Amino acid sequence: MPEDSVDTPCLVTCTAPVNIAVIKYWGKRDEDLILPINSSLSVTLHQDQLKTTTTVAISRTFQADRLWLNGKEEDINHPRLQSCLREIRRLARKRRNDGDTRPTDSAGLSQKVHICSVNNFPTAAGLASSAAGFACLVHTLAQAFGVEGELSGIARQGSGSACRSMCGGFVQWIMGKQEDGKDSVAQQVEPESHWPELRILVLVASAERKLIGSTSGMQTSVQTSSLLKHRAEAVVPRRMVDMIQAVRRRDFPAFAELTMKDSNQFHATCLDTYPPIFYLNSVSQQIMHLVHRYNKYYGETRVAYSFDAGPNAVIFTLQQFVPEFVQLVQHFFPPDRNRDDFIKGLPVKCAALPVELKQSIGLEPVPKGINYIISTKAGPGPRVVEDPSQHLLSAEGLPKKMV
């Protein structure tokens, strides 16, 4: 912390990405430490399209720790948030006690923090908002308190999948075996530059908050689904090996098939849960039909889908197939807005659809079934924002819109 921070807050701002699991995490063996029953693998999405931004302010003038999320003050005493804050402060104290002489105001460890965080995408709509949020929180707190080293285990204690958002590119969360969770961490498999042709399309079918959150859904699945137990023990270990191999070889057909099969099995475990959990809707099912019929028409796997705990589809494909597939989505899910509003993110060229392709797919159009598409690619892990004008908090430590 800067030496002149006696009266003015130390301000740090960072951004962190969303990640989409292609081998899913569902179910914990330890609820408090958030230790999973199986390993998982994800693709980190680019922050130019999807990110959380967090500013942390530390000052001796603050009366209490405070938190603002997406413009609204929230309870900072949430147990998971407190776990992250407590662990960062513990590591900062340890660093100081170990004799680290880097400029950190020792009193800062007991000073209060103000945290302000915003997402540029719908919160709690199956778009991994908690993963980006807690990854950003931990990275920003670590920067503010001068903490370095392995941080994914701390992010995991906020939200399991947040540990994967601490890395860019292709990331595995190793489930680990130790009871204390020290070996349950995220590791980068390959950087975002490894597969430059890979593209990701987020088809936002609903921006509404889901009826059953991931935490409660997982608990019920672990308690009641025999399929989940079989999946964790007999299916996922082999799939992890195969998926890492497919990524390293840039083998899209293998990557795509594993991605779709794992998404389907995840939702099958949700149906096998008692009472059953439904995260997909009729639009989700139509998207699945569209993908399979599109691949069948060309006699090769050009496109894959994946669904997390929500109805939004994440489509994986290669750059050369994006224009036609996006045009196909527009044809079978006619939007009520112009193309520029319907397609956000990376630019997508227009494409003509062969009549035979439309006839072969033969689905009934679903007007306004998809609100919009986010076009993106693999991207880096958390980053520090150097421009002080981008701080979300003012010099007084309050959200800028409130000052």
Side-chain angles (χ1 to χ4, degrees):
M1 188 181 294
E3 291 178 4
D4 62 354
S5 62
V6 175
D7 296 313
T8 57
C10 162
L11 287 164
V12 178
T13 298
C14 298
T15 63
V18 169
N19 75 78
I20 299 295
V22 290
I23 302 295
K24 304 294 188 189
Y25 147 60
W26 194 252
K28 306 179 190 74
R29 66 180 191 275
D30 187 307
E31 289 285 339
D32 294 329
L33 294 175
I34 310 189
L35 302 178
I37 61 171
N38 63 265
S39 296
S40 55
L41 193 140
S42 62
V43 182
T44 299
L45 306 189
H46 206 288
Q47 293 175 59
D48 284 354
Q49 286 76 49
L50 294 159
K51 68 182 175 186
T52 294
T53 303
T54 300
T55 297
V56 166
I58 309 175
S59 173
R60 67 181 67 229
T61 64
F62 296 161
Q63 299 302 303
D65 292 340
R66 295 176 72 183
L67 168 71
W68 292 267
L69 292 180
N70 295 308
K72 181 184 173 190
E73 185 159 13
E74 302 282 356
D75 181 10
I76 199 163
N77 293 312
H78 188 287
R80 291 186 176 185
L81 196 150
Q82 285 297 317
S83 291
C84 297
L85 195 49
R86 190 167 53 245
E87 190 63 12
I88 290 290
R89 281 175 163 150
R90 183 188 71 79
L91 290 175
R93 196 170 290 113
K94 181 177 184 297
R95 200 198 85 186
R96 189 192 69 195
N97 293 340
D98 287 348
D100 194 314
T101 57
R102 282 172 296 181
T104 297
D105 181 351
S106 61
L109 301 181
S110 57
Q111 288 173 16
K112 301 303 181 184
V113 299
H114 285 187
I115 301 164
C116 187
S117 190
V118 296
N119 298 331
N120 69 346
F121 57 91
T123 303
L127 278 176
S129 56
S130 64
F134 276 103
C136 203
L137 172 74
V138 168
H139 190 74
T140 313
L141 285 171
Q143 293 288 326
F145 282 100
V147 172
E148 296 176 350
E150 212 300 303
L151 298 173
S152 73
I154 302 174
R156 187 202 73 231
Q157 293 178 51
S159 172
S161 53
C163 70
R164 298 190 309 248
S165 278
M166 297 299 287
C167 304
F170 303 84
V171 185
Q172 63 171 326
W173 173 11
I174 301 164
M175 65 178 284
K177 294 179 180 177
Q178 296 176 20
E179 285 188 15
D180 63 5
K182 290 286 194 292
D183 59 346
S184 185
V185 294
Q187 282 183 356
Q188 187 179 71
V189 173
E190 292 291 346
E192 62 272 17
S193 58
H194 170 71
W195 202 344
E197 305 84 13
L198 189 70
R199 288 291 179 273
I200 300 119
L201 302 168
V202 182
L203 276 48
V204 180
S206 169
E208 301 300 313
R209 188 174 287 269
K210 54 202 176 194
L211 292 175
I212 301 173
S214 300
T215 301
S216 60
M218 281 187 203
Q219 289 173 342
T220 311
S221 292
V222 168
Q223 292 161 5
T224 64
S225 173
S226 55
L227 177 57
L228 182 64
K229 188 173 189 297
H230 169 74
R231 166 181 162 73
E233 294 174 358
V235 180
V236 170
R238 181 71 242 172
R239 279 190 181 161
M240 284 293 292
V241 172
D242 292 345
M243 183 60 89
I244 289 171
Q245 188 177 64
V247 166
R248 288 191 166 143
R249 291 180 174 178
R250 294 187 285 271
D251 181 345
F252 186 78
F255 171 87
E257 185 174 326
L258 281 166
T259 295
M260 290 188 281
K261 283 183 173 179
D262 205 73
S263 176
N264 292 343
Q265 190 178 67
F266 156 53
H267 288 281
T269 64
C270 292
L271 283 177
D272 190 50
T273 299
Y274 189 80
I277 304 167
F278 303 93
Y279 286 121
L280 305 181
N281 60 21
S282 59
V283 172
S284 313
Q285 291 164 2
Q286 286 287 87
I287 293 167
M288 293 163 79
H289 289 310
L290 179 65
V291 167
H292 285 296
R293 292 181 188 188
Y294 180 71
N295 289 337
K296 185 179 180 183
Y297 176 81
Y298 282 107
E300 62 178 359
T301 307
R302 294 186 170 192
V303 178
Y305 55 75
S306 185
F307 294 86
D308 281 339
N312 300 314
V314 178
I315 300 294
F316 293 91
T317 187
L318 299 176
Q319 189 173 2
Q320 69 209 72
F321 305 130
V322 169
E324 185 176 74
F325 189 76
V326 166
Q327 200 70 42
L328 208 58
V329 170
Q330 282 190 279
H331 178 78
F332 285 103
F333 300 93
D336 62 349
R337 56 182 77 187
N338 65 42
R339 184 180 168 90
D340 289 342
D341 290 334
F342 186 62
I343 304 167
K344 305 172 188 289
L346 295 176
V348 177
K349 293 177 181 176
C350 291
L353 293 178
V355 175
E356 311 83 56
L357 172 60
K358 290 187 280 190
Q359 290 174 342
S360 176
I361 287 173
L363 293 170
E364 229 12 78
V366 182
K368 297 186 285 187
I370 292 172
N371 294 342
Y372 58 91
I373 298 172
I374 303 169
S375 170
T376 187
K377 60 183 179 180
R383 298 185 287 199
V384 176
V385 178
E386 303 291 352
D387 180 1
S389 71
Q390 298 301 305
H391 291 323
L392 302 176
L393 294 169
S394 67
E396 293 76 38
L398 294 173
K400 285 185 175 177
K401 289 181 180 177
M402 289 176 59
V403 176

